[in-house]
Amino acid sequence: MPRLSFWFEFASTYSYLSAMRIEAMAAAADVGIDWRPFLLGPIFRAQGWETSPFNLYPAKGRYMVRDIERIATARGLVFRLPDPFPQNGLLAARLATVGAADGWIADFVRAVYRAEFAEGRDISDAAVLADLLAAVGVEAGPAFAAAASPAIKDRLRAATEEAMRLGLFGAPSFVAPDGELYWGDDRLEAAIAHTAAVPISS
Amino acid sequence: MPRLSFWFEFASTYSYLSAMRIEAMAAAADVGIDWRPFLLGPIFRAQGWETSPFNLYPAKGRYMVRDIERIATARGLVFRLPDPFPQNGLLAARLATVGAADGWIADFVRAVYRAEFAEGRDISDAAVLADLLAAVGVEAGPAFAAAASPAIKDRLRAATEEAMRLGLFGAPSFVAPDGELYWGDDRLEAAIAHTAAVPISS
């Protein structure tokens, strides 16, 4: 089964849209998904941005909210811009990195996005994340201990460096087995169709 | 028939994609199109950008080229990034403003985009634009004279100011009769569907 890498950042509103639909879409196309948490902060800072472009460029930020409201409504999702925006997703991303190794990343990522963008919860709060871990059947203590380990911190840092090497500049991004890069929830259909058609050898 | 405003800028690669398909799509949905040339330069400068974001952010620029190549291929279009990029589209935009009043704007706009992004021609060159006018059956002399008139220059300037008031920050943008704003060629289907469903009174 060919695999598509799904690069997401917890602060990213469009990543929320993709996280909620990617698994069903990929399964229908016989494509596997590698969930790849990374941090946009270092990539944005390398471009000279100290916050989200949606804050730096207010007209773009207002449009993004309306655009996502329309799409979320059409898909039966709730969307409310969190306050503050962007949320700090570092701890959540470290936990997701643990979950990638332990097999619970997909459920956890969806739970975090739902809490952040549908329920108005603060995903930088360890107590909120502990709730979400419990809700997806993961014991919080060992997960937090692993998330605080140098090995996991290094792995997330390395993932962000890999994202930069791959040419990623935003999220969500999708990388097919042959290296084709797709950016944005609106390219998810194309990314999956392309991956399904890639020869397995590549 | 409800009408959708199509705001485009000649330097914009994604506007090319929309210009080549919008009329057939709109006709199929019983939607009329108002072709609205404007200038992104003043809007980008207000955001602190002195050139295209695709030049300011090279990873984004490389991705844009590949993204458009894929889409153009799927639609049977040729795409080559012009050199230099972006092209100076001021004179072309003034001529298009003349064409909006005289009824030949759609054919002219498609001819300019084809010359710029498929044929590698320099659309800041008056001789090239004269060729394109002739190709769409417009007498060049009166069109250039009108394009140089204060009335047309003012109209294009006013269009750019209107674009800023409407919250536009990029191109292509689409504005429905009820004010709903859509940005990007990938939102054209949604913009037309929304416009087709808007009550005529709004």
Side-chain angles (χ1 to χ4, degrees):
Chain A
M1 192 156 77
R3 302 188 70 79
L4 179 66
S5 293
F6 168 36
W7 292 82
F8 60 93
E9 143 80 54
F10 280 117
S12 156
T13 53
Y14 288 98
S15 293
Y16 163 53
L17 293 179
S18 292
M20 303 313 277
R21 68 185 186 129
I22 193 168
E23 213 158 54
M25 290 171 68
D30 284 321
V31 163
I33 296 298
D34 290 325
W35 295 69
R36 301 295 313 264
F38 76 117
L39 300 178
L40 269 177
I43 292 174
F44 283 176
R45 273 192 292 278
Q47 299 184 165
W49 298 346
E50 291 300 325
T51 180
S52 164
F54 298 128
N55 290 338
L56 292 171
Y57 307 110
K60 196 166 192 163
R62 282 188 295 273
Y63 173 77
M64 175 275 287
V65 170
R66 183 69 191 130
D67 188 49
I68 297 202
E69 281 172 353
R70 288 188 301 233
I71 296 168
T73 300
R75 295 184 191 165
L77 295 174
V78 172
F79 173 74
R80 273 173 289 174
L81 195 69
D83 180 20
F85 174 80
Q87 296 268 298
N88 182 335
L90 175 61
L91 181 53
R94 285 178 178 159
L95 285 166
T97 304
V98 176
D102 290 358
W104 43 264
I105 185 168
D107 286 343
F108 175 70
V109 170
R110 283 186 290 260
V112 173
Y113 277 123
R114 202 178 293 115
E116 180 182 15
F117 292 117
E119 296 163 6
R121 300 175 78 183
D122 175 0
I123 65 152
S124 70
D125 181 339
V128 169
L129 294 171
D131 272 1
L132 300 176
L133 287 167
V136 299
V138 174
E139 216 184 324
F144 278 103
S149 69
I152 289 295
K153 292 181 180 180
D154 285 351
R155 200 173 299 165
L156 180 58
R157 205 174 294 122
T160 300
E161 287 161 7
E162 184 183 350
M164 290 181 97
R165 278 197 309 276
L166 290 170
L168 270 63
F169 54 89
S173 291
F174 311 97
V175 182
D178 60 354
E180 282 289 318
L181 169 63
Y182 296 83
W183 171 55
D185 178 70
D186 44 35
R187 295 298 184 273
L188 179 52
E189 286 83 354
I192 288 176
H194 179 82
T195 301
V198 170
I200 293 292
S201 59
S202 68
Chain B
M1 191 154 78
R3 302 188 71 79
L4 178 66
S5 294
F6 168 35
W7 292 83
F8 60 94
E9 143 81 53
F10 280 117
S12 155
T13 53
Y14 287 99
S15 294
Y16 163 52
L17 293 179
S18 292
M20 303 313 277
R21 67 186 187 130
I22 193 169
E23 213 157 55
M25 289 171 68
D30 283 322
V31 163
I33 296 298
D34 290 326
W35 295 69
R36 301 296 312 264
F38 76 116
L39 300 178
L40 269 176
I43 292 175
F44 282 176
R45 273 192 292 278
Q47 300 184 162
W49 298 346
E50 291 301 324
T51 180
S52 164
F54 298 129
N55 290 338
L56 293 171
Y57 307 110
K60 198 166 191 162
R62 282 187 295 273
Y63 172 77
M64 175 274 287
V65 171
R66 183 70 190 129
D67 188 49
I68 297 202
E69 282 173 353
R70 288 188 302 234
I71 296 168
T73 299
R75 295 185 191 166
L77 295 173
V78 173
F79 174 75
R80 272 173 290 174
L81 194 70
D83 179 20
F85 175 80
Q87 296 268 297
N88 183 336
L90 175 61
L91 181 53
R94 286 178 177 158
L95 286 166
T97 304
V98 177
D102 290 357
W104 42 264
I105 185 168
D107 286 343
F108 175 69
V109 170
R110 282 187 291 260
V112 173
Y113 276 124
R114 202 177 294 114
E116 180 182 15
F117 292 117
E119 296 162 6
R121 299 175 78 184
D122 175 0
I123 65 152
S124 70
D125 182 339
V128 169
L129 294 171
D131 273 0
L132 300 176
L133 287 167
V136 299
V138 175
E139 216 184 324
F144 277 105
S149 69
I152 288 294
K153 291 181 180 180
D154 285 351
R155 200 174 301 165
L156 180 59
R157 204 175 294 120
T160 300
E161 286 161 9
E162 183 183 350
M164 290 180 97
R165 279 197 308 278
L166 289 169
L168 270 63
F169 53 89
S173 291
F174 312 98
V175 182
D178 61 354
E180 283 288 319
L181 168 64
Y182 296 84
W183 170 55
D185 178 71
D186 44 36
R187 295 296 185 273
L188 179 51
E189 286 84 354
I192 289 177
H194 179 81
T195 301
V198 171
I200 293 292
S201 60
S202 68

